[in-house]
């Protein structure tokens, strides 16, 4: 795992719709690759000399955006109201600091206020109710005028959790924000760099190409565009998947930190192509790569929209187990990032045309005139 890359991406400011800083943070790591962004902040990354020569196109997808917030309104007393960008739960927000970006591009620190214990009745202390609409964001101002004129903050300014990346080398442990899904973005950039260094992409059975998509957390909007543009035949979606090991027993947990990459059999948005999974698991066995299968009752990924484009796109969904995604602080293990990178990289290199036909189900009926 390239720690500097994950650090740069994790620290980057990029809630849904405001991913520009993530693009700029990624750029120094794209040396030797060709890349461009579109008007929505989607980032397309190709191997040098990529040629569409009739081989199937394999899209590597991850989303660039993170769960964040937006300034919804500014009250006379100088407190701000917020609206969510993505699925954070309101109970995870009070008593946390955030960064707001104003229209001049300056970052302002704020505190999402927890109702002070001093002003609560006995009853309120036992049952606090948290609704996003009632949360107050405090930037240290005393009036609406001060918020606007002195802090330069307006309605509509974007907000992210205020967290800095840290790596604990001794335990191989990453700490930071937005591992959903900057770990996926980091994995794809590393894979593209390895494929570029191999220098033999023209001999592969597939054409690997990457698109990092904006606005996933508000409904897979970026991938709706990237899939139309790339027109993939197959895809691998990378995710920072919610780690469940503290919430289920060992038998039931399916996203345990340190147990390898997660291969998602289904979630609410997509039922995976079983042929793709069996090919991936054969490769994992061959290279001794750790993985765990998951059948998720909830959740969804960009596979939902990518699978429905072109002539139906089989998607493999790989997840790096990440604790507390969609809240301020996350943990993940470098070994799980490595397992995810290794499995996808080997898959790209070793997919043969027979396996691609099998995954595309050309071996069921084929075509008859
Ligand atoms: Zn995600």
């Amino acid at each position: 795992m390239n720690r500097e890359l994950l650090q740069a991406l994790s620290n980057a400011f990029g809630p849904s719709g405001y991913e520009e800083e993530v693009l700029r943070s990624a750029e120094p790591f794209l040396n030797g690759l060709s890349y461009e962004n579109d008007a929505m902040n989607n980032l397309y990354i190709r191997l040098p000399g990529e040629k569409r020569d009739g081989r199937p196109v394999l899209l590597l997808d991850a989303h660039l955006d993170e769960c964040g917030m937006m300034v919804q309104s500014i009250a006379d007393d100088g407190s701000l109201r917020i609206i969510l960008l993505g699925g954070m739960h309101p109970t995870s927000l009070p008593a946390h600091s955030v960064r707001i970006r104003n229209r001049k591009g300056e970052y302002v620190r704020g505190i999402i206020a927890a109702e002070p214990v001093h002003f609560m009745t006995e009853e309120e202390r036992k049952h606090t109710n948290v609704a996003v609409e009632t949360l107050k964001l405090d930037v240290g101002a005393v009036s609406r005028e001060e918020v606007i004129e002195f802090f330069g903050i307006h309605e509509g300014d974007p907000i992210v959790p205020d967290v800095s990346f840290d790596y604990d080398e001794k335990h191989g442990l990453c700490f930071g924000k937005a591992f959903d899904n900057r770990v996926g973005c980091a994995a794809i950039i590393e894979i593209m760099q390895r494929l570029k260094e191999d220098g033999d992409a023209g001999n592969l059975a597939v054409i690997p190409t990457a698109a990092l998509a904006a606005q996933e957390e508000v409904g897979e909007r970026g991938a709706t565009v990237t899939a139309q543009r790339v027109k993939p035949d197959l895809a691998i979606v990378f995710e920072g998947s919610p780690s469940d090991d503290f919430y289920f027993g060992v038998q039931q947990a399916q996203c345990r930190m340190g147990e390898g990459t997660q291969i998602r059999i289904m979630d609410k948005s997509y039922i995976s192509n079983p042929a793709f999974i069996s090919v991936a698991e054969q490769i994992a066995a061959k290279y001794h790569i750790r993985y765990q299968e998951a059948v998720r009752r909830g959740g969804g990924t960009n596979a939902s929209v990518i699978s429905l484009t072109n002539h139906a796109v089989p998607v493999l969904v790989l997840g790096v187990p990440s604790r507390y995604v969609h809240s301020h602080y996350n943990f993940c293990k470098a070994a799980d990032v490595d397992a995810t990178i290794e499995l996808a990289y080997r898959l790209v290199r070793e997919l043969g045309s027979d396996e691609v036909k099998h995954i595309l189900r050309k071996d069921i009926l084929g075509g008859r005139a």
Side-chain angles (χ1 to χ4, degrees):
M1 189 193 85
N2 180 339
R3 178 164 62 97
E4 286 73 28
L5 169 60
L6 181 56
Q7 174 162 351
L9 296 182
S10 168
N11 285 344
F13 183 103
S16 311
Y18 301 86
E19 298 89 351
E20 315 82 64
E21 196 185 303
V22 194
L23 301 187
R24 291 191 191 104
S25 305
E27 189 172 22
F29 299 91
L30 300 177
N31 261 337
L33 297 164
S34 51
Y35 55 90
E36 61 179 316
N37 65 280
D38 65 16
M40 192 182 186
N41 292 334
N42 295 310
L43 170 61
Y44 302 86
I45 307 169
R46 299 179 196 90
L47 293 172
E50 177 190 293
K51 262 203 205 84
R52 300 286 176 121
D53 52 10
R55 286 175 295 153
V57 174
L58 171 61
L59 168 67
L60 307 177
D61 162 276
H63 66 87
L64 283 164
D65 59 320
E66 65 187 297
C67 285
M69 292 142 264
M70 182 184 272
V71 175
Q72 190 271 329
S73 58
I74 304 167
D76 285 342
D77 62 5
S79 66
L80 294 83
R81 298 294 179 280
I82 57 173
I83 190 167
L84 298 180
L85 293 173
M88 294 177 110
H89 196 273
T91 52
S92 71
L93 295 173
H96 282 80
S97 69
V98 293
R99 289 196 304 146
I100 308 155
R101 191 174 68 197
N102 69 18
R103 292 178 194 185
K104 287 185 253 166
E106 300 162 340
Y107 294 98
V108 178
R109 177 166 284 145
I111 300 169
I112 302 174
E115 192 182 349
V117 69
H118 315 75
F119 310 140
M120 287 180 177
T121 63
E122 280 303 319
E123 207 38 42
E124 282 168 340
R125 285 183 199 206
K126 281 186 225 146
H127 314 281
T128 41
N129 233 337
V130 180
V132 180
E133 294 77 5
T134 60
L135 286 174
K136 292 176 184 175
L137 172 57
D138 173 7
V139 293
V142 296
S143 69
R144 179 181 158 84
E145 288 65 40
E146 196 185 353
V147 172
I148 295 168
E149 278 151 35
F150 189 51
F151 290 91
I153 292 173
H154 292 80
E155 290 86 351
D157 288 350
I159 304 168
V160 297
D162 177 23
V163 181
S164 292
F165 182 88
D166 193 19
Y167 183 65
D168 171 356
E169 188 126 32
K170 188 173 166 197
H171 303 103
L173 196 58
C174 311
F175 167 89
K177 72 167 176 67
F179 288 178
D180 171 12
N181 190 8
R182 306 289 161 70
V183 287
C185 297
I188 289 178
I189 292 170
E190 279 200 55
I191 292 164
M192 292 298 280
Q193 286 293 4
R194 281 172 77 171
L195 292 168
K196 181 202 79 189
E197 272 149 36
D198 293 342
D200 61 353
N203 300 328
L204 301 177
V206 294
I207 300 170
T209 192
L212 306 186
Q215 296 192 40
E216 187 265 357
E217 298 291 1
V218 290
E220 295 88 28
R221 296 175 193 169
T224 306
V225 173
T226 62
Q228 289 177 55
R229 174 134 176 222
V230 173
K231 296 189 172 51
D233 297 285
L234 307 157
I236 304 177
V237 167
F238 297 74
E239 263 293 353
S241 292
S243 195
D244 61 357
D245 38 6
F246 285 174
Y247 304 96
F248 298 103
V250 173
Q251 273 93 31
Q252 279 81 41
Q254 298 178 337
C255 200
R256 296 170 65 200
M257 207 168 67
E259 292 295 314
T261 191
Q262 183 197 60
I263 297 179
R264 207 177 274 209
I265 294 173
M266 74 162 276
D267 59 25
K268 268 188 143 165
S269 74
Y270 179 62
I271 301 166
S272 288
N273 176 302
F276 208 162
I277 290 183
S278 81
V279 170
E281 293 186 350
Q282 283 163 30
I283 288 184
K286 180 175 169 188
Y287 289 96
H288 309 289
I289 300 164
R290 298 185 82 173
Y291 67 90
Q292 45 195 323
E293 293 181 339
V295 177
R296 294 215 46 211
R297 290 185 190 278
T301 71
N302 278 339
S304 60
V305 292
I306 294 168
S307 65
L308 301 180
T309 52
N310 210 2
H311 47 68
V313 179
V315 184
L316 179 73
V317 182
L318 299 180
V320 175
S322 304
R323 288 200 174 144
Y324 320 117
V325 294
H326 291 213
S327 73
H328 267 58
Y329 313 104
N330 309 151
F331 273 138
C332 77
K333 285 258 189 195
D336 294 333
V337 182
D338 287 334
T340 306
I341 291 171
E342 190 65 18
L343 178 54
Y345 167 75
R346 294 290 168 195
L347 198 55
V348 171
R349 289 208 55 88
E350 302 215 358
L351 270 179
S353 49
D354 284 349
E355 278 141 349
V356 172
K357 274 188 201 144
H358 179 51
I359 294 167
L360 293 174
R361 314 235 169 154
K362 304 241 192 230
D363 52 1
I364 299 181
L365 297 180
R368 298 278 183 281

